[in-house]
Every structure is written in structure tokens, then in C-alpha cells.
Amino acid sequence: GTPTRALFMLFGGTGDLALRKLYPAIFNLYKKGSLSNDHFALIGLSRKELTDDEFRAKIIDSVSSEADQPEQAQAFASHFYWKSHDVTNNDHYSELSDLADQLEAKYATEGNRVFYVSMAPRFFGIVAQSLHDQGVLSTNGGFNRLVIEKPFGRDYASAKELNDALTSAFNENQIYRIDHYLGKETTQAIPVLRFGNPMLEAVWNHEYIKDVQVTLAEKLGVEDRAGYYDTAGALRDMIQNHTLQIVSYLAMDQPNSFVDTEIRREKVKALESMEIYDAEGVKQNFVRGQYGAGPDSVPYREEPGVPSDSNNDTYAAGKIVFNNHRWGDTPFYIRSGKKLADKQGRIDIEFKKPLVDIFAKGTKQPAELQGNVLSFYIDPKIGVTLSVNTKDSEQGLHTETIDLNYLQGADRAAQVPLPYERLFHDILTGDGTYFASWPEVAAAWKFVDPVQKLWDQEPGDFPNYESGSMGPKAADDLLARDDNQWYWPH
Ligand code: BG6
């Protein structure tokens, strides 16, 4: 398409996320031409006092590894401006508005404004409201788009309060709630794999699927983020958002067409049909964990900044039941944790075995037929595999299971646009497909809240898994009760 003209205002302009992910993403769009090379500018904001030149030096640093030549990074950085800004000071918004008008004229950005709030979550609401109330939104026909980083609340009530603040200033279709897992290649491929292939969609239901497993496993521990993470935990940090978003793509019905409004409608329907547990249900269907020591690892409670009696979960697993026709009694198992054996996000769809195994009789040492397993690799490995039953090449008939496999090599995977680049592209084109709408966020919190509530009330028996393992034993028991087991690792 034609390159988009835009003026960005980025709150938290020298933050870690901005320097590591956001500027390189914008730079790649600039390089590839979806962002107009002449008609764009960015105002970085925070309380820091910086000159434009100091800010630009940081930008050059942040994007130089992506640049074809040093001049390209310099040309890009010349569109960047710094403004020291206190988000609670109304005068600062008037000054911002003046600067925005000036730059809009200078770069002919046609009134298109993107406001990106990458700050501590307590400031999300006040920034959005002040932008509106102090007249920083453009009024001359361009677009105003508000991008909100996570976390979006810490339970339903706080998320609702935040959402009310945002929607008093912006319309739902102007709000882009970031969930970077929706920018990942494999997440975006799920709807195409499902709705583009009748041979999959035809069996995508409780009649053929035994269970669905979503695993977001991390190898790293809390690192230096205890200040945030110890008040969040795995359930809020990874399950409520990333995991349930992935679940919604797997569970939803076919949208009428692949446009954001239609997709959202179906995702919401799916999320709202998840059974919400009472306290007893939580005990039976959810498992929490906190890592202990392991080879070369200290226990979570000894990590820098973590209280020695922390009750925080670094692992969460659960079973989701959908009260709808498609899924019937087919469970979705989900899990995510830190300090696990390997870093991999993946989805394993386990199909039921053939009703009758005709090979079990009359052949020499037959292997039992296995149910097909369709696996989606999210990150760092990207791809799809499907296990099928076939025969081996020996004399006589012996069945065996093989993997049909499409896994991207490291060089192809390195070419895949990074999540923030995809998401920025969609923000510029006004496509909300890969952003979380408010009803989705609300349904996810309503599902997670009773779990979190119980865990807050009753301290866990921590630590309960070894660093470098695959999590607590109770998570295996959760599946064993249904005669299932985690497919990965196997
Ligand atoms: C973030 C969480 O949302 O996702 C982090 O806050 C987590 O705790 C990260 O490490 C994982 O993302 P990725 O892209 O590295 O798998």
C-alpha cells in the first residue's frame, strides 16, 4: 500500500521496551516503506531532560544493527524530538499540543497521530484522558490511535476502571491493546490453517479432538523484574493475556470474513463460553508453582528483589472446559512457567484414536495406532508438524508413527518480521485484527479472577518445582486424572 504518514508520541520514550523493540520496529517499517520516509516524526516523552541530539543518539544506537548503512539510521533519527513531560501536569500537554502542531506542519503528516503509552500502568488512564481533555488529539481529519502496553489491569475490576478511563477519551476502534503474542508468526497463522483447510476445520471439534494443549514455556527466571513480576505472577503475566488469546483463536467459530470486527465477535463468544470455576473447581482444575533451586539456579525466593516468603506463582497450569457445542467435553490444557527445561511456545492438538484398530489383529508385532497430533510451534521454533500412522519398511506389516513436518530453518525464522513490527504496521493501517478488544480482555479476567483470588487467600506449598524441570508434578496429575498427559516433551 501507500506509505502512511504519521506523527508518533511515545510516552516512556527512553524505556527499555522502546529502545529494544519499538524503535527497531518503526525503523523496519521506514526501511520497507510502509511508513513514509519524509512524512513522519516522533516525539519521545518522559520526565527525563534530554536534548533532541541526545535522544537521536539513543535512537541511532537502538536501530543501527538493522540499518543498511549508518546514514540510514541518521536520516531516520533526524525525525525524532524529545520533550520532557510530567504526565500529571496540564501545561505540559498544552506544550505538547503546540509541538505536535509544529511538527505536523513541518512534516506534512496529515493529522495522523499515534499515541503510544509504554509506561507504568498506573499512568495509562491519566495520559489518555489528558490527551483528550487538553486538546492533543488531532481535529483535522487525520486519525487518532491510542496504543496501550500491558498489563491491562490486574483483575476484572481494575481492568474495567482502566477501560472506562480510556473510553472516556477514545473510541474502542481507536484503542490498540498490545499483546505481542498476537504479532507472532504462528499465532497469525492459526486462523489460516484452520479456516483455509477444510480437512482440518471439518474435524476441529469434540468428536475428533481428544484434547488441546497450549504451552508457553520459558527458560529464563524473573531476571531483574521482581518489582513487577512479584506483584503479578504467571497467571496474570502469561495466562490471562497471551495464553487465553491463543486459546481464543483455537476455540473460536469461523468468522463471516477475516476482518477485525467479525474476528473479535467470534473470539469473544469463545472466551465467554469458558466455564468459570468456583473455589472447589479452581482447586481441581488449576495448578500453581514456584521454582526452587536447580543446577546453576537459585530458588525464586532468593532472586534479587523477591521477598524470602513470596507466595508468587512462577508457573500456572489449568484445564479449560467450554460450554458449547463445538467443544463438548474436550478439555483445553494450558500452562506457562519460568525456569522450565526449554524455551518454547507451542500448541499440541491431540486427535482421538481410530475407533477400531484393524491392524491390532493378525499382524506380526503391530504397534498400536496412535491418535494424530497436530503441533504448532510458536517461538523460538516456528512451524507446524503432524504425526500420522503409517507402516515401516520392514517385511510384514508393522505400523509406526511419523511426523510430517514444516519447521522453519533458523535463517528463514530470522527473516520473519518481529511481533512489534507487525503490530505497528497494523496500527498504521488501522487493522485491529491482532489486538485484544475490551470484551475479550474482560472475559479473560472473569475466567482468571477466581483462580487468582483463591491463590491470594491460601499460600502455596512453595517451592514445588526444580529450576530446569517441566514444572510441578501436580500439573501432570491434572492431566492424568482425565487419562491424558502432556504431549511435550516426549
Ligand atoms: C511478557 C511477560 O509479556 O512475555 C514476560 O511479561 C515474558 O514475563 C515474555 O518473559 C515472554 O515473551 P517472549 O516473546 O519472549 O516469549
Side-chain angles (χ1 to χ4, degrees):
T2 38
T4 306
R5 301 180 178 212
L7 171 63
F8 296 89
M9 288 167 240
L10 208 159
F11 296 83
T14 54
D16 202 43
L17 183 80
L19 294 173
R20 280 193 310 119
K21 305 267 166 101
L22 305 184
Y23 299 135
I26 300 174
F27 182 65
N28 275 325
L29 294 174
Y30 169 90
K31 252 173 73 174
K32 295 176 188 174
S34 29
L35 176 64
S36 169
N37 283 7
D38 297 324
H39 305 289
F40 96 96
L42 187 145
I43 306 173
L45 302 134
S46 84
R47 276 191 312 205
K48 282 211 176 92
E49 303 279 352
L50 288 182
T51 63
D52 290 341
D53 281 339
E54 286 166 336
F55 184 40
R56 288 170 190 170
K58 288 182 192 288
I59 301 304
I60 291 171
D61 231 33
S62 150
V63 306
S64 58
S65 65
E66 309 280 326
D68 298 332
Q69 66 276 335
E71 293 74 30
Q72 192 181 34
Q74 282 157 12
F76 176 71
S78 72
H79 294 249
F80 283 62
Y81 296 80
W82 185 258
K83 182 176 177 322
S84 171
H85 184 94
D86 170 356
V87 295
T88 60
N89 184 331
N90 284 346
D91 294 340
H92 287 189
Y93 290 93
S94 319
E95 292 162 19
L96 175 60
S97 177
D98 292 343
L99 178 59
D101 289 344
Q102 269 170 40
L103 293 177
E104 197 156 87
K106 174 164 180 189
Y107 291 99
T109 52
E110 294 178 342
N112 294 332
R113 296 187 177 183
V114 177
F115 306 95
Y116 199 119
V117 193
S118 171
M119 300 180 74
R122 65 178 183 283
F123 299 124
F124 293 172
I126 184 157
V127 170
Q129 279 174 325
S130 310
L131 287 171
H132 174 266
D133 296 351
Q134 306 307 319
V136 193
L137 305 197
S138 80
T139 49
N140 57 359
F143 60 69
N144 289 295
R145 295 181 183 147
L146 176 71
V147 190
I148 293 290
E149 264 299 330
K150 67 200 160 220
F152 202 91
R154 46 182 292 109
D155 53 18
Y156 173 71
S158 57
K160 168 112 179 29
E161 194 178 315
L162 168 57
N163 199 60
D164 288 346
L166 301 185
T167 52
S168 71
F170 290 83
N171 300 326
E172 172 70 19
N173 64 12
Q174 296 176 310
I175 302 174
Y176 293 76
R177 296 175 195 79
I178 293 276
D179 183 319
H180 78 288
Y181 265 72
L182 301 187
K184 297 201 188 222
E185 169 73 4
T186 305
T187 315
Q188 300 200 347
I190 297 172
V192 187
L193 287 162
R194 283 191 55 192
F195 305 120
N197 298 298
M199 66 171 284
L200 289 183
E201 191 53 19
V203 293
W204 207 263
N205 57 52
H206 69 100
E207 282 183 65
Y208 292 95
I209 294 180
K210 180 163 72 86
D211 64 89
V212 175
Q213 305 182 4
V214 180
T215 301
L216 302 184
E218 295 192 82
K219 217 171 168 163
L220 293 176
V222 62
E223 306 283 283
D224 54 3
R225 295 166 70 226
Y228 151 73
Y229 192 76
D230 198 65
T231 65
L235 189 69
R236 289 192 182 99
D237 187 49
M238 296 291 288
I239 300 286
Q240 185 274 340
N241 44 16
H242 310 318
T243 311
L244 290 181
Q245 277 292 326
I246 291 169
V247 164
S248 73
Y249 283 100
L250 295 169
M252 73 176 181
D253 286 342
Q254 177 163 312
N256 293 340
S257 67
F258 204 66
V259 296
D260 48 13
T261 44
E262 299 290 331
I263 297 161
R264 286 172 169 191
R265 196 206 318 271
E266 295 304 334
K267 286 171 71 190
V268 172
K269 247 172 65 193
L271 290 168
E272 287 182 346
S273 55
M274 294 188 297
E275 167 133 351
I276 295 181
Y277 297 122
D278 60 13
E280 197 44 43
V282 171
K283 280 186 193 154
Q284 275 175 25
N285 295 296
F286 267 86
V287 170
R288 58 180 152 165
Q290 187 190 79
Y291 60 82
D296 312 320
S297 295
V298 298
Y300 176 70
R301 287 176 177 174
E302 286 173 29
E303 295 273 23
V306 174
S308 59
D309 60 350
S310 170
N311 186 43
N312 194 38
D313 51 305
T314 63
Y315 176 100
K319 170 178 167 178
I320 300 173
V321 177
F322 287 94
N323 291 316
N324 64 24
H325 179 69
R326 181 187 287 270
W327 294 111
D329 56 3
T330 295
F332 279 52
Y333 302 112
I334 54 175
R335 60 179 167 164
S336 181
K338 293 202 185 282
K339 284 278 181 182
L340 298 182
D342 205 358
K343 161 87 183 163
Q344 186 62 45
R346 59 181 290 153
I347 300 158
D348 298 296
I349 317 236
E350 296 201 298
F351 289 84
K352 293 182 179 174
K353 290 184 182 179
L355 284 177
V356 179
D357 185 346
I358 61 165
F359 304 103
K361 283 184 215 146
T363 57
K364 207 170 74 182
Q365 295 175 325
E368 201 186 328
L369 290 179
Q370 302 298 315
N372 302 114
V373 181
L374 178 64
S375 300
F376 298 157
Y377 291 73
I378 301 170
D379 192 18
K381 271 194 233 154
I382 296 179
V384 189
T385 64
L386 174 66
S387 79
V388 297
N389 295 300
T390 183
K391 66 177 282 299
D392 69 15
S393 50
E394 301 293 307
Q395 183 68 271
L397 183 69
H398 306 128
T399 59
E400 67 168 351
T401 305
I402 58 159
D403 267 350
L404 306 179
N405 128 7
Y406 171 71
L407 282 177
Q408 296 189 0
D411 33 334
R412 168 97 201 268
Q415 296 303 309
V416 166
L418 290 171
Y420 276 102
E421 182 182 336
R422 289 184 195 275
L423 297 177
F424 261 115
H425 173 271
D426 293 352
I427 292 162
L428 289 175
T429 57
D431 182 350
T433 298
Y434 295 111
F435 296 84
S437 68
W438 165 244
E440 296 164 39
V441 174
W445 276 123
K446 285 179 183 169
F447 176 74
V448 158
D449 272 358
V451 182
Q452 188 69 57
K453 190 169 157 217
L454 190 83
W455 290 1
D456 289 344
Q457 280 166 2
E458 298 180 8
D461 188 11
F462 292 154
N464 62 350
Y465 70 97
E466 194 187 331
S467 286
S469 72
M470 275 312 285
K473 180 173 173 300
D476 296 336
D477 300 342
L478 176 72
L479 274 67
R481 255 197 358 241
D482 299 341
D483 261 338
N484 286 324
Q485 53 183 330
W486 294 106
Y487 181 71
W488 180 72
H490 68 278

